[in-house]
Structures are given as C-alpha cells and as structure tokens.
Amino acid sequence: MPSSNSAVSTHGLGISYGDAVALHPLTLDVQKGEVFGFLGHNGAGKTTTIRLLTTLLEPTTGSARVAGHDIISDPLKVRAAIGYLPENVRLYDRFTTRENLMFFARLSGLEKPADAVHETLDFLNITELADRRVGTFSKGMRQRVGLAQAILHRPDVLFLDEPTSGLDPMGVRQLREIIDRLNAAGMTIFMNTHLLSEVARSCTSIGVLAQGRLVFRDTMQVVAARYDEHSLEELYVGVAAGHSEVAA
Amino acid sequence: MTPSRLLARQSLAGLMRDRSVLILVAFFAAMVMVTAWLGWSATNTVNAIYADAAQYLAGAGQPVPSNPVGQSAPLAVLRNLGVYISLIGTFGAIVIGQLLIEADRRAGTLPLLGTRPFARRDYALGKMRALGVATGAMMAVAGLISVATLFTIPSLVVRSADLARLGLFLILGWAYITTFGLVALGAAARMPATASGLISASVVWLVVTFVLPELTANIHPTASINPVSTLAATPDSAFFRVTSTLLGPVSLSEAFAWLSGDLLSFLPDGLAPRGPVPPLVTLPLALLLAFLFALRSAAKLDLTAGGPDA
C-alpha cells in the first residue's frame, strides 16, 4: 500500500502489446528521498517501467502514483513534478545549451527561466558550455546538459535511464557526485542501471526486474549486510536468472 | 506564453537554421521572381510593339487604338504564380510539415517534450501553428514580389480592388499549400520512418497535381504546369463527364487553378469548375480535413521514439 511518504508507488502496473507482455503487473513502493536502483537485463522491462511512470506510455493494467499524483488521471501534475533523463539524450543540435535549456525551462512553466538556467548550469558546473552548440558536444557533455534539462524545475522525483551508459570513468564519477548532491537536496531518484558498482555506491535501495517481473526488492543496508561486492553480482545474476530462493 | 506558442516558436527557430528549408524557400522566392519577370517582360514586349504600331499608324494618318495592356486585367500578368505555388510552394510546405515532426524525432527530444506539463494536443497545435506561420511567410514573400512587379510594369493600372484580389489569391495559396503541409505533418507523425512520411505525403500531392486532372479532364502532366492549359473544359465524352463529376470534388489542384484564374482574372469565359462542388467549398473543406488529420496524428505521436538513428 502506498504511504504518504511514497514518491513512487505502483499497484499491478503493467503493459501489454496484444499478446506480448512488456511488463507484468508490478507492485512497487519507493519512498521520498530514496535513491532507488532498478536493475535488470536488457529487455527486462526497466525502460518500459520508467516510460509508464513518466506518462510517456499508458498502462494496460494497474495504477501508479508519482509524487502523489495518479499517472492516468493526473498526468500533467505528474509531469510537473518529475524530471527525466533518457538513455542517449541528444537535444537540439543546432541550438546552444542555453537555448535548449531556456526552451525546456519555459515549457516547464518556470516564471524566471533565465535564472533557473543560470542556477542549473552553475550547479552542474557546466557554465562554460552555455553558449556552445550542443551538436559539437561529446557524449559526456550531452549527458550533463541532458541532466540539466531534467532538473531545471527542481522536480520531486528524477528518473534516470541508464545515466552512466557510454560515459568514461571520470564522467561516471561526476554523475555519481551530482546524484548525491541532488539527493542531499531532497530529490528522490529512480535510476535504471546495469552498473552494480554504481548501485552499491549511490543507491539506498534496489529492485531487480527479470522478464517483466520484480524478483527482488530491498534496502541497500540489508543487501550490504548480507552480500559483499562480489556476492552482490552473484545476487543479481541469481535473481535475474529466476533463482527465487535468494529473493527477499 | 502558452505551450503551443512556445513549441511553435522553437520549431520556427529550428526551421530557420535548417539549410534544406532555407534552400527551398529561396528557390520558391526565385521562381516567384521568374513569374514576375515573365509578366514584366511580356507586358514590355506588348508595349514596345504597340509603340511601334502606334507610331506607324499615326504616320499613316490612321486612327490609333488604345494600348491593349491597359485593357487587360493587371493581375493576369501574375498567372504563372499559381503554378509555382501549386508546385514548388506545395512541395516546400510538405518538406516543412514533415520536418516539424522529424526534427524532434531525430533530435531525440520527444521523450523530453512528452514529460513536460502540457497536453499532447498542445504539441500538435504548436506544430501546426509553426507550419501556418512558415507557409504564411512563403506567401508573404510571394506577395511582396508580386506587388513590386505590378507597380514597376509601365502602362499597368493597378487599383485597390486588384490588390484586394491579390490578397485573396495569396490567402487561397496559403490555404492550399498548408493543406499539403498538414498532410505531411500528420503522415510524419504516423510513420516513424523519415522516408515513409515524406513519400506518402508526396504521393498524395503528385496524385492531386498530375493524376486527377488527367482523369477528370484529360489534362496531361505537362499541361498541368501551364496556367492556361490547366483551365481546359471537361471533354465532351461520357467517361470524362462521369470522372469529372466523381473526382472533381477531390481534384484540389483543379479547384485551386480555377479559383486562381478567377481571382487573377485570366479564367476563360464560361469555364465551369470541375465537378458539382464549388472550389470555394472544396478547398476549405480539404484544409479542415487535413487539419483534423494532423491534429489527431500529432496528438497520438509516439513520444518514446527517436534519436539519431530513428
């Protein structure tokens, strides 16, 4: 049951395309202030889950609330309360970082978009990219500008889909530091990832999705007490392969 | 500023930075200038011949008739404009309509737009607003060149009524090319592959421009690019009477040509519009249907798709 402290709560949330089930009914609760790591193989349904929670897709079964709003009956309120960084974000190549961010800030309904852009660039330490065209950026630079558009309006819940994908070790470290700072500022973070090392370092709780079903869910405190870094991988491989005996 | 206005403004800014759009608009403007030059040149030729003839007749002591340029309708010198609007203007609108959706899809920004607090319909309205402004700008360019031409041709007397008719013609042209732009916008929204969206809208345009006139009145494709031969009467045969009645209402290019001829005063006397539905009904109805198609398609656009490889 969702509590008043839930940032994300789903009840039997699922989606099918004809006979093909993309996500089996998923019941999940992520508390406010958590950094939730959502693990799973490619095609397990992680991105589909995020797309449902961000209102990009409509579920065929179940319900969900994000930041206290129903994703089906109140999609606009959900969108106003979330930020989203898809995997491989690109933005408008012919526009500068500032032009891109001003556009998204205005679309988010911010009263002082220029101030929000300035503060966000400053927060992410990318002020030097402000007046450069996005089309000239490396993957890491794009990822940071993409993150900037996701947090411009200081959302309650931030959804990150494979945020470290394609980043070099320095980029991964910088992203981790940013996630820590955002979380410290009170933002709930829901993160799809493959990187177990990132999960171990950044997340306060994890869930493992396998073939469209949630097969494991616990806090990192419990996980850390039961598994060391090596056995975390064993845990993941085990539950993802369907070894139910290790699922909590 | 409303979300649809923001989206329209951003889309227009993107179009203005797109080289293919700029080339198309420049080409359209160049062809309008060619139209103007053709009108100017033809009128000048008639003026020169008249001057020689008048001098000869006066020298022979015969009466000199008035200059035929002054007797013909001044807007008729712009008769080729309708053809260029129908061909290049429409193709430009198709490219713009397709690009308005494709730009977001290729930029991978659809998921970012889809998670912003505005309704899906606002997205569709924003794109259509951008299309309307872009095609309006094209027609404004055509209008400026046309007015400049009318006032630089000697012996041509342009009255305010003529300018009003030219204004109506430009509005008609805007509605005509925007109809095809909306079809392209809707097709792009429904078909994720770039080529599919563009080709399907182009096929609609080609059928309307070249195939339907052949079926309704035996107007061959080469004749379709001539403003005068396009306005041929329906051949007196049972086949064309039937096809003209059935297909006339959807033969938009013929409806546009008929109204263009009427507004620019070069419509042959007594030529009836094709089919039982008046062009003044056909074209607004087509614009409305294209609007609804684009609205529905863009509002249902898959916002999860996109990226550089889309």
Coordinates of all heavy atoms in Angstrom, one line a residue, chain A residues 51 54-57 75-77 79-80 82-86 88-96 99-100 103-109 133 146 148-153, chain B residues 1-4 6-7 9-15 17-19 103-104 106-120 127 302-305 307-309:
Chain A
R51 N 9.0 4.6 -18.6 CA 8.1 5.3 -19.5 C 6.7 5.4 -19.0 O 5.9 6.3 -19.3 CB 8.2 4.6 -20.9 CG 9.5 4.9 -21.6 CD 9.6 4.1 -22.9 NE 10.8 4.5 -23.6 CZ 11.2 3.8 -24.7 NH1 10.6 2.8 -25.2 NH2 12.3 4.3 -25.3
T54 N 6.6 8.0 -16.2 CA 6.8 9.4 -16.6 C 5.6 9.8 -17.6 O 5.7 10.8 -18.2 CB 8.1 9.6 -17.4 OG1 8.2 8.6 -18.4 CG2 9.3 9.4 -16.4
T55 N 4.6 8.9 -17.7 CA 3.4 9.2 -18.5 C 3.7 9.2 -20.0 O 2.8 9.6 -20.8 CB 2.7 10.5 -18.2 OG1 3.4 11.6 -18.7 CG2 2.5 10.7 -16.7
L56 N 4.9 8.6 -20.4 CA 5.1 8.5 -21.9 C 4.3 7.4 -22.5 O 4.0 7.4 -23.7 CB 6.6 8.3 -22.1 CG 7.5 9.5 -22.0 CD1 9.0 9.1 -22.0 CD2 7.2 10.6 -23.0
L57 N 4.0 6.4 -21.7 CA 3.2 5.3 -22.1 C 2.0 5.2 -21.1 O 2.1 5.6 -20.0 CB 3.9 4.0 -22.1 CG 5.0 3.7 -23.1 CD1 5.8 2.4 -22.8 CD2 4.5 3.8 -24.5
P75 N -1.9 13.2 -15.4 CA -0.6 13.2 -16.0 C 0.1 14.5 -16.0 O 1.4 14.6 -15.9 CB -0.9 12.7 -17.4 CG -2.3 13.0 -17.7 CD -3.0 12.9 -16.3
L76 N -0.6 15.6 -16.1 CA 0.1 16.9 -16.1 C 0.7 17.2 -14.8 O 1.8 17.8 -14.8 CB -0.9 18.0 -16.5 CG -1.5 18.0 -17.9 CD1 -2.3 19.2 -18.2 CD2 -0.5 17.8 -19.0
K77 N 0.1 16.9 -13.7 CA 0.7 17.1 -12.4 C 1.9 16.2 -12.2 O 2.9 16.6 -11.5 CB -0.4 16.9 -11.3 CG -1.4 18.0 -11.2 CD -2.3 17.8 -10.1 CE -3.3 19.0 -10.0 NZ -4.5 18.7 -9.1
R79 N 3.8 15.2 -14.6 CA 4.9 15.7 -15.4 C 5.5 17.0 -14.8 O 6.7 17.2 -14.9 CB 4.4 16.1 -16.8 CG 4.1 14.9 -17.6 CD 3.4 15.3 -19.0 NE 2.6 14.1 -19.5 CZ 1.6 14.2 -20.3 NH1 1.3 15.4 -20.8 NH2 1.0 13.2 -20.7
A80 N 4.7 17.7 -14.1 CA 5.2 19.0 -13.4 C 6.1 18.6 -12.3 O 7.0 19.4 -11.9 CB 4.1 19.8 -12.9
I82 N 8.2 15.8 -12.1 CA 9.3 14.9 -12.4 C 10.3 15.5 -13.3 O 10.0 16.4 -14.1 CB 8.7 13.6 -13.1 CG1 8.1 13.9 -14.4 CG2 7.8 12.8 -12.1 CD1 7.8 12.6 -15.3
G83 N 11.5 14.9 -13.3 CA 12.5 15.2 -14.3 C 12.8 13.9 -15.0 O 12.7 12.8 -14.3
Y84 N 13.3 13.9 -16.2 CA 13.6 12.6 -16.9 C 14.8 12.8 -17.8 O 14.9 13.7 -18.6 CB 12.3 12.2 -17.7 CG 12.5 11.0 -18.6 CD1 13.2 9.9 -18.1 CD2 12.0 11.0 -19.9 CE1 13.3 8.7 -18.9 CE2 12.2 9.8 -20.7 CZ 12.8 8.7 -20.2 OH 13.0 7.6 -21.0
L85 N 15.7 11.9 -17.6 CA 16.9 11.8 -18.5 C 16.9 10.5 -19.2 O 17.2 9.4 -18.5 CB 18.2 12.0 -17.6 CG 19.5 11.9 -18.4 CD1 19.6 13.0 -19.4 CD2 20.7 11.8 -17.5
P86 N 16.5 10.4 -20.4 CA 16.5 9.2 -21.2 C 17.9 8.7 -21.5 O 18.9 9.5 -21.4 CB 15.8 9.5 -22.5 CG 15.5 10.9 -22.5 CD 16.1 11.6 -21.3
N88 N 20.9 8.0 -23.8 CA 21.3 8.6 -25.1 C 20.6 9.9 -25.4 O 20.0 10.0 -26.5 CB 21.2 7.6 -26.2 CG 22.1 6.4 -26.1 OD1 23.2 6.5 -25.6 ND2 21.5 5.3 -26.4
V89 N 20.5 10.8 -24.4 CA 19.8 12.0 -24.7 C 20.6 12.9 -25.7 O 21.8 12.7 -25.8 CB 19.7 12.8 -23.3 CG1 21.0 13.3 -22.8 CG2 18.8 14.0 -23.5
R90 N 19.9 13.6 -26.5 CA 20.6 14.4 -27.6 C 20.3 15.9 -27.5 O 21.2 16.7 -27.6 CB 20.3 13.8 -29.0 CG 21.0 12.5 -29.3 CD 20.8 12.2 -30.7 NE 21.5 13.1 -31.6 CZ 22.8 13.0 -31.9 NH1 23.5 12.1 -31.4 NH2 23.3 13.9 -32.8
L91 N 19.1 16.3 -27.5 CA 18.7 17.7 -27.5 C 18.8 18.2 -29.0 O 19.2 17.5 -29.9 CB 19.5 18.5 -26.5 CG 19.3 18.1 -25.1 CD1 20.4 18.7 -24.2 CD2 18.0 18.4 -24.5
Y92 N 18.6 19.5 -29.1 CA 18.6 20.1 -30.5 C 20.0 20.6 -30.8 O 20.5 21.5 -30.3 CB 17.6 21.3 -30.5 CG 16.2 21.0 -30.3 CD1 15.6 21.2 -29.1 CD2 15.5 20.3 -31.3 CE1 14.2 20.9 -28.9 CE2 14.1 20.0 -31.1 CZ 13.5 20.2 -29.9 OH 12.2 19.9 -29.7
D93 N 20.6 19.8 -31.8 CA 22.0 20.0 -32.2 C 22.3 21.5 -32.6 O 23.4 21.9 -32.4 CB 22.3 19.1 -33.3 CG 22.6 17.7 -32.8 OD1 22.6 17.5 -31.5 OD2 22.9 16.8 -33.6
R94 N 21.3 22.1 -33.3 CA 21.6 23.4 -33.9 C 21.5 24.5 -32.9 O 21.8 25.7 -33.2 CB 20.7 23.7 -35.1 CG 20.9 22.8 -36.3 CD 20.1 23.2 -37.5 NE 20.4 22.3 -38.6 CZ 19.6 21.4 -39.0 NH1 18.5 21.2 -38.3 NH2 19.9 20.6 -40.0
F95 N 21.1 24.2 -31.7 CA 20.9 25.2 -30.7 C 22.0 25.1 -29.6 O 22.6 24.1 -29.4 CB 19.5 25.1 -30.0 CG 18.4 25.4 -30.9 CD1 17.9 24.5 -31.8 CD2 17.8 26.7 -30.9 CE1 16.9 24.9 -32.7 CE2 16.8 27.0 -31.7 CZ 16.3 26.1 -32.6
T96 N 22.3 26.2 -28.9 CA 23.2 26.2 -27.9 C 22.6 25.6 -26.6 O 21.4 25.4 -26.5 CB 23.7 27.6 -27.5 OG1 22.6 28.3 -27.0 CG2 24.3 28.4 -28.7
E99 N 20.1 27.9 -25.2 CA 18.8 28.0 -26.0 C 18.0 26.7 -25.7 O 16.8 26.8 -25.5 CB 19.1 28.1 -27.5 CG 19.6 29.5 -27.9 CD 20.2 29.5 -29.3 OE1 20.7 28.5 -29.8 OE2 20.1 30.6 -29.9
N100 N 18.6 25.6 -25.7 CA 17.9 24.3 -25.3 C 17.3 24.4 -24.0 O 16.1 24.1 -23.8 CB 18.9 23.2 -25.4 CG 18.9 22.5 -26.7 OD1 18.0 21.8 -27.2 ND2 20.1 22.6 -27.4
F103 N 14.3 26.8 -23.6 CA 13.1 26.3 -24.2 C 12.5 25.3 -23.2 O 11.2 25.4 -22.9 CB 13.5 25.5 -25.5 CG 12.4 24.7 -26.0 CD1 11.2 25.3 -26.4 CD2 12.5 23.3 -26.3 CE1 10.1 24.5 -26.9 CE2 11.5 22.6 -26.8 CZ 10.3 23.2 -27.2
F104 N 13.2 24.4 -22.6 CA 12.6 23.4 -21.7 C 12.2 24.1 -20.4 O 11.2 23.6 -19.7 CB 13.6 22.2 -21.4 CG 13.7 21.3 -22.6 CD1 14.8 21.3 -23.4 CD2 12.6 20.5 -22.9 CE1 14.8 20.4 -24.5 CE2 12.6 19.7 -24.1 CZ 13.8 19.6 -24.9
A105 N 12.9 25.1 -20.0 CA 12.5 25.8 -18.7 C 11.2 26.5 -18.9 O 10.3 26.5 -18.1 CB 13.6 26.8 -18.4
R106 N 11.0 27.1 -20.1 CA 9.7 27.8 -20.4 C 8.6 26.7 -20.5 O 7.5 27.0 -20.0 CB 9.8 28.6 -21.7 CG 10.7 29.8 -21.5 CD 10.6 30.7 -22.8 NE 11.4 31.9 -22.6 CZ 12.4 32.2 -23.3 NH1 12.9 31.4 -24.3 NH2 13.1 33.4 -23.1
L107 N 8.9 25.6 -21.2 CA 7.9 24.6 -21.3 C 7.5 24.0 -19.9 O 6.4 23.5 -19.7 CB 8.4 23.4 -22.1 CG 8.2 23.5 -23.6 CD1 8.6 22.2 -24.3 CD2 6.7 23.7 -24.0
S108 N 8.4 24.1 -19.0 CA 8.1 23.6 -17.6 C 7.3 24.6 -16.8 O 6.9 24.4 -15.7 CB 9.4 23.3 -16.9 OG 10.1 22.2 -17.5
G109 N 7.1 25.8 -17.4 CA 6.2 26.8 -16.8 C 7.0 27.6 -15.8 O 6.3 28.2 -14.9
R133 N 27.1 25.2 -29.2 CA 26.1 24.4 -29.8 C 26.2 23.0 -29.4 O 27.3 22.4 -29.3 CB 26.2 24.5 -31.4 CG 25.6 25.7 -32.0 CD 25.7 25.7 -33.5 NE 25.3 24.5 -34.1 CZ 25.8 24.0 -35.2 NH1 26.7 24.7 -35.9 NH2 25.3 22.9 -35.7
G146 N 21.8 17.1 -20.7 CA 20.6 16.4 -20.6 C 20.1 16.4 -19.2 O 18.9 16.5 -18.9
A148 N 20.8 18.6 -17.0 CA 20.4 20.0 -16.7 C 18.9 20.2 -17.0 O 18.2 20.8 -16.3 CB 21.3 21.0 -17.4
Q149 N 18.5 19.7 -18.2 CA 17.1 19.9 -18.6 C 16.2 19.1 -17.7 O 15.0 19.5 -17.5 CB 16.9 19.6 -20.1 CG 17.0 18.1 -20.5 CD 15.9 17.2 -20.1 OE1 14.7 17.7 -20.0 NE2 16.1 16.0 -19.8
A150 N 16.7 18.0 -17.1 CA 15.8 17.2 -16.3 C 15.6 17.8 -14.9 O 14.6 17.6 -14.2 CB 16.4 15.8 -16.1
I151 N 16.6 18.7 -14.4 CA 16.5 19.2 -13.1 C 16.2 20.7 -13.0 O 16.2 21.3 -12.0 CB 17.8 18.9 -12.2 CG1 19.0 19.6 -12.9 CG2 18.0 17.4 -12.2 CD1 20.2 19.5 -12.0
L152 N 16.0 21.3 -14.2 CA 15.8 22.8 -14.3 C 14.7 23.2 -13.3 O 14.9 24.3 -12.7 CB 15.3 23.1 -15.7 CG 16.3 23.4 -16.8 CD1 15.6 23.4 -18.1 CD2 17.0 24.7 -16.5
H153 N 13.7 22.5 -13.2 CA 12.5 22.9 -12.5 C 12.5 22.3 -11.1 O 11.4 22.3 -10.4 CB 11.2 22.5 -13.2 CG 11.2 21.1 -13.7 ND1 12.1 20.5 -14.5 CD2 10.3 20.1 -13.4 CE1 11.8 19.3 -14.8 NE2 10.7 19.0 -14.1
Chain B
M1 N 3.5 32.7 -21.9 CA 3.3 32.1 -23.3 C 2.8 30.7 -23.2 O 3.3 29.9 -22.4 CB 4.7 32.1 -24.0 CG 4.6 32.0 -25.5 SD 6.1 32.0 -26.4 CE 6.6 33.7 -26.3
T2 N 1.8 30.4 -24.0 CA 1.2 29.0 -24.0 C 2.2 28.0 -24.5 O 3.1 28.3 -25.3 CB -0.1 29.0 -24.8 OG1 0.3 29.3 -26.1 CG2 -1.1 30.0 -24.3
P3 N 2.0 26.7 -24.1 CA 2.9 25.7 -24.6 C 2.9 25.6 -26.1 O 4.0 25.4 -26.7 CB 2.4 24.4 -24.0 CG 1.7 24.9 -22.7 CD 1.2 26.2 -23.0
S4 N 1.8 25.7 -26.7 CA 1.7 25.6 -28.2 C 2.5 26.7 -28.9 O 3.2 26.6 -29.9 CB 0.3 25.5 -28.7 OG -0.4 26.8 -28.6
L6 N 5.0 28.3 -27.5 CA 6.5 28.0 -27.2 C 7.0 27.0 -28.2 O 8.1 27.2 -28.8 CB 6.6 27.5 -25.8 CG 6.7 28.5 -24.7 CD1 6.7 27.8 -23.4 CD2 8.1 29.2 -24.8
L7 N 6.2 26.0 -28.4 CA 6.6 24.9 -29.3 C 6.7 25.4 -30.8 O 7.6 25.1 -31.5 CB 5.6 23.8 -29.3 CG 5.7 22.9 -28.0 CD1 4.4 22.2 -27.7 CD2 6.9 21.9 -28.2
R9 N 7.3 28.6 -31.7 CA 8.4 29.5 -31.8 C 9.8 28.7 -31.9 O 10.6 29.0 -32.7 CB 8.5 30.4 -30.5 CG 9.3 31.6 -30.8 CD 9.1 32.6 -29.7 NE 9.8 32.2 -28.5 CZ 10.1 33.0 -27.5 NH1 9.7 34.2 -27.5 NH2 10.8 32.5 -26.4
Q10 N 9.9 27.6 -31.1 CA 11.1 26.8 -31.1 C 11.2 26.1 -32.5 O 12.3 26.0 -33.1 CB 11.0 25.7 -30.0 CG 12.1 24.6 -30.1 CD 13.4 25.1 -29.6 OE1 13.6 26.3 -29.1 NE2 14.4 24.2 -29.7
S11 N 10.0 25.6 -33.0 CA 10.0 24.9 -34.2 C 10.5 25.8 -35.4 O 11.2 25.4 -36.3 CB 8.7 24.3 -34.5 OG 8.3 23.4 -33.5
L12 N 9.9 27.0 -35.3 CA 10.3 28.0 -36.4 C 11.8 28.4 -36.3 O 12.4 28.5 -37.4 CB 9.4 29.3 -36.3 CG 7.9 29.1 -36.7 CD1 7.1 30.2 -36.2 CD2 7.9 28.9 -38.2
A13 N 12.3 28.5 -35.1 CA 13.7 28.8 -35.0 C 14.5 27.7 -35.5 O 15.6 27.9 -36.2 CB 14.0 29.1 -33.5
G14 N 14.1 26.5 -35.3 CA 14.8 25.3 -35.9 C 14.7 25.3 -37.4 O 15.7 25.0 -38.0
L15 N 13.6 25.6 -37.9 CA 13.4 25.6 -39.4 C 14.4 26.6 -40.0 O 15.0 26.4 -41.1 CB 12.0 26.0 -39.8 CG 10.9 24.9 -39.6 CD1 9.5 25.5 -40.0 CD2 11.2 23.7 -40.4
R17 N 17.1 27.5 -39.1 CA 18.5 27.0 -39.1 C 18.7 25.8 -39.9 O 19.8 25.2 -39.9 CB 19.0 26.7 -37.6 CG 18.9 28.0 -36.7 CD 19.4 27.7 -35.3 NE 19.0 28.8 -34.5 CZ 19.5 29.0 -33.3 NH1 20.3 28.2 -32.8 NH2 19.1 30.0 -32.6
D18 N 17.7 25.4 -40.6 CA 17.8 24.2 -41.4 C 18.1 24.6 -42.9 O 17.3 25.2 -43.5 CB 16.5 23.4 -41.3 CG 16.6 22.0 -42.0 OD1 17.0 21.9 -43.2 OD2 16.4 21.0 -41.2
R19 N 19.2 24.1 -43.4 CA 19.6 24.6 -44.7 C 18.7 24.1 -45.8 O 18.4 24.9 -46.7 CB 21.0 24.0 -45.0 CG 21.8 24.7 -46.1 CD 23.2 24.3 -46.2 NE 24.0 24.5 -45.0 CZ 25.1 24.0 -44.7 NH1 25.7 23.1 -45.5 NH2 25.8 24.3 -43.6
A103 N 12.2 16.7 -36.9 CA 13.3 17.4 -36.2 C 13.3 17.0 -34.7 O 14.4 16.7 -34.2 CB 13.1 18.9 -36.3
D104 N 12.2 16.8 -34.1 CA 12.1 16.4 -32.7 C 12.5 14.9 -32.6 O 13.1 14.5 -31.7 CB 10.7 16.6 -32.2 CG 10.4 18.1 -31.9 OD1 11.3 18.9 -31.8 OD2 9.2 18.4 -31.8
R106 N 14.4 13.1 -34.6 CA 15.9 12.9 -34.9 C 16.7 13.5 -33.7 O 17.7 13.0 -33.4 CB 16.3 13.5 -36.2 CG 15.8 12.8 -37.4 CD 16.4 13.2 -38.7 NE 17.8 12.7 -38.8 CZ 18.1 11.5 -39.2 NH1 17.2 10.7 -39.6 NH2 19.3 11.1 -39.3
A107 N 16.2 14.6 -33.1 CA 16.9 15.2 -32.0 C 16.8 14.3 -30.7 O 17.5 14.6 -29.8 CB 16.4 16.6 -31.8
G108 N 15.8 13.4 -30.8 CA 15.6 12.6 -29.6 C 15.0 13.3 -28.4 O 15.1 13.0 -27.3
T109 N 14.3 14.4 -28.8 CA 13.7 15.3 -27.7 C 12.2 14.9 -27.5 O 11.6 15.5 -26.5 CB 13.8 16.7 -28.1 OG1 13.2 16.9 -29.4 CG2 15.2 17.3 -28.1
L110 N 11.7 14.0 -28.2 CA 10.2 13.6 -28.0 C 10.0 13.2 -26.6 O 9.0 13.6 -25.9 CB 9.8 12.6 -29.0 CG 9.6 13.1 -30.4 CD1 9.2 11.9 -31.4 CD2 8.5 14.2 -30.5
P111 N 10.8 12.3 -26.0 CA 10.6 11.9 -24.6 C 10.7 13.1 -23.6 O 10.0 13.1 -22.6 CB 11.6 10.9 -24.3 CG 12.1 10.4 -25.6 CD 12.0 11.6 -26.5
L112 N 11.6 14.0 -23.9 CA 11.7 15.2 -23.1 C 10.5 16.1 -23.2 O 10.0 16.7 -22.1 CB 13.0 16.0 -23.4 CG 14.3 15.2 -23.6 CD1 15.4 16.2 -23.9 CD2 14.5 14.5 -22.3
L113 N 9.9 16.2 -24.4 CA 8.7 17.0 -24.5 C 7.5 16.3 -23.9 O 6.7 17.0 -23.3 CB 8.5 17.2 -26.0 CG 9.5 18.1 -26.8 CD1 9.3 18.0 -28.3 CD2 9.5 19.5 -26.3
G114 N 7.5 15.0 -24.0 CA 6.4 14.2 -23.5 C 6.3 14.2 -22.0 O 5.3 13.8 -21.4
T115 N 7.4 14.6 -21.3 CA 7.4 14.6 -19.9 C 7.3 16.0 -19.3 O 7.6 16.3 -18.2 CB 8.6 13.9 -19.3 OG1 9.8 14.4 -19.9 CG2 8.6 12.4 -19.5
R116 N 6.9 16.9 -20.2 CA 6.7 18.3 -19.8 C 5.2 18.5 -19.5 O 4.3 17.9 -20.1 CB 7.1 19.3 -20.8 CG 8.4 20.1 -20.5 CD 9.6 19.3 -20.2 NE 10.6 20.0 -19.4 CZ 11.8 19.5 -19.2 NH1 12.2 18.4 -19.7 NH2 12.6 20.2 -18.5
P117 N 4.9 19.4 -18.6 CA 3.4 19.6 -18.2 C 2.6 20.3 -19.2 O 2.1 21.4 -18.9 CB 3.5 20.3 -16.8 CG 4.8 21.1 -16.9 CD 5.7 20.3 -17.8
F118 N 2.3 19.7 -20.3 CA 1.4 20.3 -21.3 C 0.7 19.1 -22.0 O 1.2 18.0 -22.0 CB 2.0 21.2 -22.3 CG 3.0 20.6 -23.1 CD1 2.7 19.9 -24.3 CD2 4.4 20.8 -22.8 CE1 3.7 19.3 -25.1 CE2 5.4 20.2 -23.6 CZ 5.0 19.5 -24.7
A119 N -0.5 19.3 -22.5 CA -1.3 18.3 -23.1 C -0.7 17.9 -24.5 O -0.1 18.8 -25.1 CB -2.7 18.7 -23.2
R120 N -0.9 16.7 -24.9 CA -0.4 16.2 -26.2 C -1.0 17.1 -27.3 O -0.4 17.3 -28.3 CB -0.9 14.8 -26.4 CG -0.3 13.8 -25.4 CD 1.2 13.5 -25.7 NE 1.7 12.4 -24.9 CZ 2.4 12.6 -23.7 NH1 2.7 13.8 -23.3 NH2 2.8 11.5 -23.0
K127 N 2.9 22.6 -33.5 CA 3.5 22.2 -34.7 C 2.7 22.8 -35.9 O 3.2 23.3 -36.9 CB 3.6 20.7 -34.9 CG 4.6 20.1 -33.9 CD 6.0 20.5 -34.2 CE 6.9 20.2 -33.1 NZ 8.3 20.6 -33.3
D302 N 4.0 8.8 -31.1 CA 4.7 8.0 -30.1 C 5.9 8.8 -29.6 O 6.9 9.0 -30.3 CB 5.2 6.7 -30.8 CG 6.1 5.9 -29.9 OD1 6.1 6.2 -28.7 OD2 6.7 4.9 -30.4
L303 N 5.8 9.3 -28.4 CA 6.8 10.2 -27.8 C 8.0 9.4 -27.2 O 8.9 10.0 -26.7 CB 6.2 11.1 -26.7 CG 5.2 12.0 -27.3 CD1 4.5 12.8 -26.1 CD2 5.7 13.0 -28.3
T304 N 7.9 8.1 -27.3 CA 9.1 7.3 -26.7 C 10.1 7.1 -27.8 O 11.3 6.7 -27.5 CB 8.6 5.9 -26.2 OG1 8.2 5.2 -27.4 CG2 7.6 6.0 -25.2
A305 N 9.7 7.3 -29.1 CA 10.6 7.0 -30.2 C 11.6 8.2 -30.4 O 11.3 9.3 -30.0 CB 9.8 6.7 -31.4
G307 N 15.7 9.7 -31.7 CA 17.2 9.6 -31.6 C 17.8 9.6 -33.0 O 17.2 9.7 -34.0
P308 N 19.2 9.7 -33.0 CA 19.9 9.9 -34.2 C 19.7 8.8 -35.2 O 19.8 9.0 -36.4 CB 21.3 10.0 -33.8 CG 21.4 9.3 -32.4 CD 20.1 9.6 -31.8
D309 N 19.3 7.6 -34.8 CA 19.2 6.5 -35.7 C 17.8 6.3 -36.1 O 17.5 5.3 -36.8 CB 19.8 5.2 -35.1 CG 21.2 5.4 -34.6 OD1 21.9 6.0 -35.4 OD2 21.6 4.9 -33.6

